[in-house]
Amino acid sequence: MLMDTVNELVQLLAADGRIDVKSAACMTAAQLTGTPEGLSLLTSRADILTAILHLIRDSEIYTSKDAMRALINISAEESGAEGLLALKDVDITAEMVKCIEDTEYPHADFACGILANLSKPKHLCQRVFDRITDGPTKLEGLVYILSQIDYNKKGAKLHLLASFISNFSQLAAGRRQMMDKDGFVLQRLLSFMDYKESKGRRMSIIATVHNCCFEKIWMLWSLSRVYTLIVNITEYHPWLMGEDVDLVPRLLLPLAGPDTFNEEENDSLPFDLQYLPDDKEREPDPEIRKLLLEALMQLCITRAGREVMRKQNIYLILREHHKWEEDRHCIMLNEDLVNLLIRTEDEIGVEDLSSVEVPPDMARKFVEHDMEFLMTGSSDLNSLTEAMVEELK
Amino acid sequence: QHSALYIFPRCELLFHESKIEEKNQWPNTTRVTIHYNCYTHLEEEKYCSKVVKTRETSMAEEWKDKVIQEKLGGKKDWTDEERAELCRQLDEELESHIDAMGKTRYKGGWTEENWKEQMAEHPLFAPYIQEEGATQAEAPINPLSEGLAQLKFDPDHNTPEEVAQNYKEEGVLQFKYKKYRLAVANFSEGLKQKCSDYDLNAQLHNNRAAAHCHLGNYRSAIKDCEKAVELKTDYLKAVVRAVDCATKLNSWDEVFHWCDRGLRLDPTNQKLKTDRLTALKEKKLLERNARKMARDENKKATEEQNLINAIKNSGVQLGSTVLKGSSSISLSDLEPCHPAAQGSRVHFNESGELVWPVMLLYPEHHETDIIQEFPESDHIIDHLEVIFGKEAAPAPWDTEHKYQVNNLHVFFEDKEKTKLCKVDPNQTLQQVLRDPRYHVLGGTPG
């Protein structure tokens, strides 16, 4: 009985049917996706999914809108996403990209959302990424569209496109493509790091940048037949901190407040951070501040990176930020960062901090200590750090 | 409008001639004469004979009919011999006619003396002698060049694409000779044709942009680049040119915009990336300088405000020569009017006390003295010691040396009551200034 109804629905969804019939059928489908049972029912039927996909460009705007909303719900579930990507007759990724590229398509925001949903689970992300790279509009094209405000003439803001792109940054290949020195992808994203109009876009962009800072390359060094060293190199950090990208001031600007320094101190800072106006606001969202600080921490891993940061005298900004900051986690990160910058290289003693092996029991202690700090706010970090340094020596 | 366009000699001209021949037109006698004059001296036989020959043939036609009418009374049926005979007769008559036209030496040619000038003027040989700044109106209208120009750019004889192409080539030539204004004019003419070749129009816009660049019209150049890219979306050259023009204009936002467009077409383009970085740096510098200036101004404003507040709060009353209803005082009210006191306006010293420029008036002799820096906490008598004390030389007007410290009476004028009030020299300036009867005028206590 149910199967018959479902079959009937498929027929009613046909793209060449009557307008009112299609509209009603589409609305029904959308409503079905609201319930878990309805959703799983629809997911199991490839023909329904295909039919819905064909309706996204229907001339009747409410039909197409319902079709898109249905797809959003379906793609939000992992099983639904699997089902959509498995469709043979139509490539959902390509269809969605076409919707985004079309400056006149009204539901482009939904298209971005669908793609973001599809790429969220890691194993599906690779598939989506491959399809995009094979298609005509690659990552680069999408970033270019994102970087144009008012690209879509029908009011779609395309903020979720940023989320989609940031999902790619969970893949190493995605990160590498973004940071390709010959190309021009990452730099386009940087200008949105303080985009006030949309917290979503800002968060996604900063998350992308944050992920990119973690990118390393594993290289095999064969010293002899017996010993091979696996060394990981943070190859991108010099480029990221260099003038092509100049990431450090951009990461700090949201953390900086109104100017409180004298002229000499100001001149020692990068241009972006000098003489900030009295109405400068810091980044309001603590999650985003956390991401910024973590990214800065990552850039501090190498000695070269630390030296660059010391030269840019960002300690001043961090000091002021510490006075203002209220979120425990952010304070902790700030203190860690300042810790690294204040100590001299002799004290730190290690070129690349990520190569330091932390014994598991120490690691556990650190985690416990962090938790304690977050809960109570007491800071006994220094003694613990001393202890660790002693142990490692 | 074609008059100022010089044309380089090209073989095509001959073809244009032959075109005219084919159409069997002799548009006007002048033109024919021009061709005669133009080419007879170059290669007399070749051109002369060619022109004459065709003239011959058409003239021969006319004559034939004429002779037929005259001599033969309209007879139409001929035998071959009669025909041959008639032809021979006609030929002879023609020959004798031409001989009769005279074997005069061609007079209109160039002489030993004037051949250089003539050559300079002649469109076939003339290099571009026109000065850069000369406008089209000033250019000598050479009928030769006018004629040739008409040939080349005549829309009746050419398709719009051809005309546009010709204008483009013309403009490119002008450009090579650095005649940028003429180049612009040519490209504009080419664009006026509105031919349907988008690529050609795009090139015309791009070329015109280049010419504008050299003239320094960067804004017009950018407009042309915009059009060029509209017509041909992958026109990287035009984009790069726009970037350069925008850089010259220091319009950094535009540089970003164009760099982004260019990098979309060619993401590996190093020049565009470098340009963008430069623009970024300049813009940051600009912003930072603006912020710094704003901060300095703010600081200055607050300092001034503090000073005014301090004066107000200390109880010193400021009078002014102009009656003002407002209670707010601005810093300009405190500027001293006295020339000697210029530049030493009341201010705070290091210990935070007010320092005033004070004027001493000597009504007896109508003289004044200025003490430029008189801290409030100083006693009046200390300063008088310095001026009139034992060590100090007497003032030039103090001939009788009457003004000595012990003899001095110090007063201030109570403006309202027009009275002189005695001042105890052992007091500090501060105490005097706070006397309710006392008004400070012109920022200078007197």
Side-chain angles (χ1 to χ4, degrees):
Chain A
M1 175 60 187
L2 188 59
M3 273 305 131
D4 292 336
T5 332
V6 172
N7 289 337
E8 210 184 320
L9 183 61
V10 176
Q11 282 175 0
L12 294 172
L13 284 171
D16 48 1
R18 267 171 50 184
I19 296 182
D20 50 345
V21 168
K22 267 193 293 182
S23 171
C26 213
M27 193 160 69
T28 320
Q31 284 167 348
L32 273 177
T33 62
T35 65
E37 303 87 12
L39 188 65
S40 52
L41 180 65
L42 287 179
T43 316
S44 59
R45 294 285 295 250
D47 46 0
I48 298 190
L49 297 176
T50 321
I52 296 178
L53 255 176
H54 281 133
L55 287 178
I56 59 174
R57 284 197 175 260
D58 198 73
S59 47
E60 172 63 45
I61 196 164
Y62 289 110
T63 313
S64 54
K65 193 169 179 186
D66 281 336
M68 290 299 265
R69 281 148 107 201
L71 286 172
I72 287 244
N73 283 350
I74 297 172
S75 59
E77 294 292 317
E78 206 174 304
S79 51
E82 286 258 20
L84 281 172
L85 281 172
L87 287 176
K88 297 264 179 341
D89 303 331
V90 51
D91 180 6
I92 184 161
T93 356
E95 283 301 317
M96 291 301 128
V97 169
K98 272 193 229 152
C99 292
I100 296 174
E101 278 183 323
D102 187 352
T103 56
E104 301 287 328
Y105 187 69
H107 310 305
D109 275 335
F110 284 132
C112 300
I114 293 168
L115 282 173
N117 282 349
L118 288 174
S119 53
K120 189 160 152 228
K122 199 151 179 191
H123 60 285
L124 295 177
C125 187
Q126 183 67 50
R127 266 198 268 170
V128 177
F129 184 66
D130 289 336
R131 288 200 202 172
I132 296 276
T133 322
D134 291 335
T137 313
K138 307 191 198 313
L139 177 67
E140 224 241 305
L142 290 173
V143 170
Y144 183 67
I145 293 176
L146 179 66
S147 61
Q148 294 173 63
I149 316 278
D150 295 335
Y151 176 83
N152 184 289
K153 306 282 179 271
K154 295 281 180 165
K157 294 285 174 203
L158 301 181
H159 294 317
L160 287 168
L161 189 52
S163 306
F164 175 47
I165 291 173
S166 79
N167 278 348
F168 283 151
S169 64
Q170 49 177 332
L171 298 170
R175 290 194 290 268
R176 302 240 179 90
Q177 218 180 70
M178 277 185 224
M179 293 202 278
D180 184 11
K181 288 176 203 169
D182 289 329
F184 193 70
V185 179
L186 190 65
Q187 293 93 320
R188 285 195 203 278
L189 296 174
L190 294 178
S191 47
F192 289 107
M193 279 173 73
D194 54 359
Y195 188 63
K196 303 246 181 315
E197 282 79 9
S198 161
K199 181 184 144 184
R201 193 188 271 233
R202 206 163 69 231
M203 170 84 128
S204 306
I205 300 275
I206 292 183
T208 316
V209 171
H210 164 272
N211 287 353
C212 284
C213 291
F214 283 79
E215 180 59 19
K216 297 195 193 76
I217 297 194
W218 293 89
M219 279 181 61
L220 242 59
W221 276 4
S222 182
L223 293 178
S224 75
R225 281 182 306 143
V226 181
Y227 298 109
T228 53
L229 262 182
I230 297 176
V231 178
N232 78 52
I233 298 177
T234 49
E235 188 192 277
Y236 290 101
H237 285 195
W239 178 68
L240 287 173
M241 293 201 274
E243 62 171 19
D244 283 341
V245 183
D246 202 16
L247 200 51
V248 176
R250 285 185 196 264
L251 287 170
L252 281 168
L253 191 59
L255 298 170
D259 176 29
T260 53
F261 309 119
N262 65 31
E263 190 144 337
E264 207 183 296
E265 289 172 335
N266 257 309
D267 284 336
S268 65
L269 294 168
F271 279 143
D272 291 32
L273 303 168
Q274 286 187 16
Y275 300 111
L276 292 171
D278 290 333
D279 54 357
K280 168 82 178 58
E281 284 177 4
R282 291 190 163 94
E283 169 60 57
D285 188 276
E287 283 297 314
I288 298 185
R289 289 202 296 270
K290 193 161 74 97
L291 287 173
L292 292 166
L293 287 165
E294 279 180 9
L296 282 166
M297 278 288 291
Q298 268 305 107
L299 292 175
C300 274
I301 282 185
T302 58
R303 183 186 181 138
R306 289 195 289 272
E307 282 175 358
V308 166
M309 297 236 228
R310 284 194 198 110
K311 205 153 66 161
Q312 292 184 318
N313 205 3
I314 65 166
Y315 166 71
L316 292 171
I317 306 285
L318 291 171
R319 185 186 74 197
E320 298 302 313
H321 169 247
H322 191 273
K323 290 185 201 162
W324 173 87
E325 183 63 69
E326 285 168 358
D327 179 270
R328 306 299 315 162
H329 205 134
C330 292
I331 292 184
M332 188 173 80
L333 286 168
N334 180 310
E335 286 179 358
D336 289 343
L337 192 50
V338 167
N339 226 338
L340 273 177
L341 290 177
I342 281 190
R343 293 158 142 239
T344 65
E345 287 304 323
D346 301 327
E347 288 172 20
I348 299 179
V350 184
E351 281 286 327
D352 181 357
L353 281 174
S354 62
S355 64
V356 171
E357 291 269 336
V358 183
D361 50 338
M362 293 280 342
R364 211 171 9 92
K365 273 198 206 158
F366 277 128
V367 171
E368 279 171 14
H369 179 269
D370 283 349
M371 286 292 115
E372 193 194 314
F373 178 85
L374 287 176
M375 296 305 153
T376 63
S378 68
S379 176
D380 201 16
L381 192 60
N382 283 332
S383 60
L384 199 57
T385 330
E386 299 292 343
M388 178 200 161
V389 170
E390 283 303 320
E391 271 220 24
L392 286 174
K393 273 197 187 145
Chain B
Q1 282 290 39
H2 302 308
S3 55
L5 303 169
Y6 289 93
I7 307 166
F8 246 29
R10 262 185 280 248
C11 297
E12 295 163 18
L13 288 166
L14 298 177
F15 295 132
H16 281 298
E17 279 198 69
S18 57
K19 258 195 194 168
I20 294 175
E21 288 161 11
E22 281 160 21
K23 290 189 188 169
N24 225 359
Q25 289 175 34
W26 295 103
N28 53 52
T29 339
T30 338
R31 190 170 271 181
V32 173
T33 328
I34 287 174
H35 292 307
Y36 266 116
N37 287 344
C38 165
Y39 293 107
T40 37
H41 67 272
L42 278 173
E43 282 175 76
E44 283 193 58
E45 278 181 38
K46 185 169 165 190
Y47 294 113
C48 185
S49 58
K50 193 170 186 181
V51 174
V52 168
K53 202 166 179 192
T54 41
R55 207 175 195 204
E56 234 179 70
T57 33
S58 72
M59 281 174 77
E61 293 286 345
E62 287 173 30
W63 275 31
K64 242 192 200 169
D65 292 338
K66 203 168 159 196
V67 159
I68 288 169
Q69 286 299 324
E70 282 177 10
K71 297 195 177 171
L72 307 168
K75 184 172 165 193
K76 286 290 166 137
D77 47 333
W78 296 85
T79 64
D80 278 335
E81 296 89 3
E82 284 172 326
R83 260 190 241 266
E85 178 55 40
L86 185 56
C87 277
R88 205 186 44 76
Q89 256 184 29
L90 290 174
D91 277 342
E92 275 176 22
E93 284 185 37
L94 188 57
E95 288 277 1
S96 54
H97 176 86
I98 286 177
D99 287 341
M101 271 173 30
K103 282 198 173 58
T104 51
R105 194 175 169 75
Y106 176 59
K107 290 233 171 52
W110 293 350
T111 64
E112 284 275 335
E113 291 85 14
N114 73 357
W115 73 269
K116 270 193 190 154
E117 295 148 26
Q118 291 293 330
M119 200 162 177
E121 271 187 21
H122 199 286
L124 286 179
F125 302 103
Y128 294 100
I129 51 164
Q130 218 184 23
E131 290 306 311
E132 172 64 53
T135 59
Q136 287 186 344
E138 293 166 18
I141 298 173
N142 193 323
L144 285 164
S145 57
E146 186 168 4
L148 294 171
Q150 278 174 12
L151 277 175
K152 211 167 152 176
F153 302 116
D154 192 344
D156 293 336
H157 290 121
N158 303 299
T159 66
E161 281 79 15
E162 284 175 352
V163 179
Q165 182 70 25
N166 283 333
Y167 274 120
K168 178 184 143 210
E169 287 167 7
E170 192 63 25
V172 167
L173 221 44
Q174 306 276 357
F175 192 92
K176 284 205 187 116
Y177 278 90
K178 302 197 195 311
K179 305 287 180 189
Y180 300 122
R181 264 183 251 276
L182 291 175
V184 169
N186 270 313
F187 294 134
S188 307
E189 285 293 321
L191 285 167
K192 275 192 206 161
Q193 303 302 315
K194 295 200 195 305
C195 76
S196 50
D197 185 348
Y198 280 13
D199 255 359
L200 182 58
N201 284 338
Q203 282 173 30
L204 281 166
H205 274 296
N206 184 35
N207 291 351
R208 193 165 71 171
H212 273 306
C213 254
H214 282 273
L215 286 171
N217 303 334
Y218 298 120
R219 185 50 58 193
S220 314
I222 293 183
K223 278 199 207 142
D224 268 324
C225 289
E226 178 71 56
K227 291 250 177 63
V229 177
E230 256 176 51
L231 291 167
K232 188 170 165 203
T233 40
D234 58 347
Y235 210 168
L236 194 60
K237 255 194 197 164
V239 175
V240 173
R241 198 185 304 287
V243 168
D244 289 333
C245 289
T247 315
K248 291 245 170 49
L249 286 172
N250 282 356
S251 168
W252 309 120
D253 285 330
E254 276 191 279
V255 175
F256 288 140
H257 170 73
W258 283 103
C259 277
D260 278 349
R261 277 168 96 161
L263 284 164
R264 175 69 183 123
L265 295 171
D266 178 16
T268 61
N269 192 314
Q270 196 51 48
K271 176 186 183 306
L272 283 176
K273 284 189 194 168
T274 330
D275 283 342
R276 191 173 187 275
L277 271 179
T278 323
L280 201 62
K281 279 200 208 131
E282 292 292 330
K283 190 168 175 201
K284 279 195 192 162
L285 196 59
L286 265 178
E287 283 173 354
R288 171 252 190 195
N289 287 344
R291 290 200 296 264
K292 187 169 178 194
M293 217 162 68
R295 196 185 87 137
D296 287 341
E297 276 174 17
N298 270 350
K299 211 164 129 192
K300 209 166 131 200
T302 13
E303 276 176 12
E304 289 176 4
Q305 200 52 42
N306 284 345
L307 189 60
I308 290 172
N309 287 343
I311 292 174
K312 262 202 218 166
N313 294 339
S314 65
V316 177
Q317 295 177 64
L318 295 172
S320 59
T321 44
V322 180
L323 267 175
K324 280 191 220 168
S326 65
S327 54
S328 62
I329 320 157
S330 70
L331 221 54
S332 53
D333 292 340
L334 295 174
E335 261 325 301
C337 310
H338 197 280
Q342 290 287 348
S344 56
R345 193 200 64 199
V346 56
H347 57 272
F348 285 114
N349 65 8
E350 290 90 35
S351 27
E353 55 174 354
L354 289 170
V355 177
W356 295 87
V358 177
M359 195 156 69
L360 299 172
L361 302 119
Y362 310 110
E364 219 182 353
H365 296 270
H366 298 288
E367 292 284 344
T368 56
D369 262 337
I370 289 278
I371 301 170
Q372 282 178 331
E373 300 214 343
F374 196 141
E376 273 194 336
S377 54
D378 279 4
H379 295 272
I380 299 181
I381 193 155
D382 296 329
H383 285 266
L384 290 178
E385 274 281 348
V386 172
I387 303 175
F388 298 109
K390 299 189 188 65
E391 285 98 55
W397 38 262
D398 184 15
T399 43
E400 294 161 36
H401 202 77
K402 274 198 288 183
Y403 282 72
Q404 295 185 34
V405 182
N406 316 330
N407 281 352
L408 292 174
H409 299 282
V410 186
F411 300 89
F412 68 79
E413 191 179 353
D414 181 345
K415 273 271 158 24
E416 278 178 35
K417 309 218 173 85
T418 57
K419 221 166 51 167
L420 286 177
C421 310
K422 191 144 166 83
V423 173
D424 177 8
N426 288 312
Q427 283 184 316
T428 62
L429 182 63
Q430 196 176 40
Q431 289 167 312
V432 178
L433 289 181
R434 274 152 191 66
D435 192 311
R437 297 166 293 177
Y438 188 81
H439 291 262
V440 176
L441 287 176
T444 320

